[in-house]
Each structure stands twice: as C-alpha cells, then as structure tokens.
C-alpha cells in the first residue's frame, strides 16, 4: 500500500498541469484587455503552451531518461510552480508568453515521467489502476479545474489563477 501513496501526489501534479494548460481559455478577453493585446493574440498563449509541450516532451523525456525519475519529477514540478510565479508577476504579454513556454517545458517533462514512475512503483496487477489515477488528474483538471480557474479569474483576476495553480504545484512537490 505504501507504494500506492505517491500515485495520488503524481495525480495532483497532473491535475495542476492540466488546469494550467487550459484555464486561461475562459479568461482570454480579460487577459487581452489587461495586457493591451487583442483576444486573438492572447489566444496564442494557449497555442504556445500546446506547441511547446508537444515538441519538447519527447525530447526532454529522452534526455532525462537515465536520471532518477523521482528527482526529475520533483525538479519539473518545482520549475512548474516557479514558472507560475513568473506568470503572476508578468508585466506584459511577452513576459507572460515566456512564462507559458516555461510552464509547457515543465509539463512536458513531468507528464510522461509521472506515468512511467506510476507504473514502475506498483505491482503489475495494479499498474492499470495507477496509470488511471495519474491520468485521472488530467481529466479532473479539464472537468473541474478549468471551470474553477475561470470562476477564480473572474472573481479575483486572471493572475490569481496562476497563483492557485502554482500553489497546487508547490504542494505536489
């Protein structure tokens, strides 16, 4: 049972990453106005995250393949939490774009390694459940994290969404 406990922490990390990846979508008009750009340009913040994640994940995962997965995951999530702080204090669109790219790099390293570690630390008969729990964090993020991020952003400002996800990332570390 003790090897199953880390699975829940890995799932919290995937929840934080999934929430961060998509949470700004409902806040784009507010963010665009605050940053002095058009909504379509603000939408590139979502695309930049997705493209960076897609391109960097296989490369970073391969480069980190011989490293201790636990340390890689801790470092990736710590970097993710720190990059959220950069997003909170972003003074302009390009600073926020840089933060989103850094967030995607951390996410691209975290997600595949979380799955690999989850399947490695449990018995073979528990692997499917372990992977379902870790990936369930992403599903829950899309289902609950994004709408909650939208509500928080509308009530407290879009920067608070990054602060909240950064706090989740810090807890996951």
């Amino acid at each position: 049972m003790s090897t199953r406990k880390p699975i829940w922490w890995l799932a919290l990390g995937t929840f934080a990453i999934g929430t961060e990846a998509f949470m700004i979508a409902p806040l784009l008009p507010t963010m665009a106005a605050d940053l002095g750009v058009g909504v379509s340009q603000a939408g590139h913040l979502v695309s930049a995250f997705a493209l960076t994640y897609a391109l960097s994940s296989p490369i970073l995962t391969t480069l980190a393949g011989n490293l201790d997965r636990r340390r890689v995951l801790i470092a990736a999530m710590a970097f993710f939490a720190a990059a959220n702080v950069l997003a909170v204090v972003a003074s302009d669109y390009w600073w926020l774009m840089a933060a989103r790219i850094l967030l995607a790099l951390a996410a691209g390293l975290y997600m595949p390694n979380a799955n690999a570690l989850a399947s490695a630390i449990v018995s073979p008969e528990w692997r499917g459940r372990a992977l379902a729990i870790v990936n369930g964090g992403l599903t829950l993020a899309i289902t609950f994290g994004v709408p909650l991020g939208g509500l928080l952003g509308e009530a407290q400002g879009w920067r608070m969404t990054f602060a909240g996800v950064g706090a989740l990332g810090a807890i996951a570390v």
Side-chain angles (χ1 to χ4, degrees):
M1 185 65 160
S2 65
T3 59
R4 296 179 191 164
K5 187 177 180 182
I7 302 300
W8 298 101
W9 292 108
L10 295 171
L12 178 61
T14 60
F15 177 82
I17 286 171
T19 300
E20 200 289 323
F22 304 108
M23 72 180 180
I24 67 169
L27 302 172
L28 288 175
T30 304
M31 293 174 74
D34 189 44
L35 296 168
V37 298
V39 174
S40 62
Q41 185 176 355
H44 294 309
L45 295 166
V46 176
S47 302
F49 181 97
L51 183 61
T52 302
Y53 180 96
L55 295 175
S56 71
S57 186
I59 296 167
L60 293 175
T61 301
T62 300
L63 291 174
N66 292 327
L67 302 175
D68 177 78
R69 285 197 204 287
R70 182 178 176 270
R71 291 179 191 264
V72 168
L73 286 164
I74 291 169
M77 190 51 61
F79 188 79
F80 177 81
N84 271 289
V85 173
L86 290 176
V88 170
V89 299
S91 60
D92 62 28
Y93 173 80
W94 293 108
W95 189 347
L96 184 57
M97 177 65 80
R100 291 282 291 171
I101 290 169
L102 293 174
L103 286 160
L105 292 170
L109 183 58
Y110 183 88
M111 295 293 284
N113 280 289
N115 283 313
L117 184 62
S119 65
I121 63 173
V122 297
S123 60
E125 63 273 2
W126 223 80
R127 283 188 185 136
R129 284 177 277 186
L131 289 169
I133 290 168
V134 171
N135 290 305
L138 182 61
T139 303
L140 290 172
I142 294 167
T143 306
F144 298 110
V146 173
L148 288 173
L151 289 172
L152 177 63
E154 288 296 324
Q156 299 293 317
W158 62 266
R159 292 175 192 278
M160 287 306 296
T161 61
F162 287 101
V165 171
L168 286 176
I171 292 167
V173 170

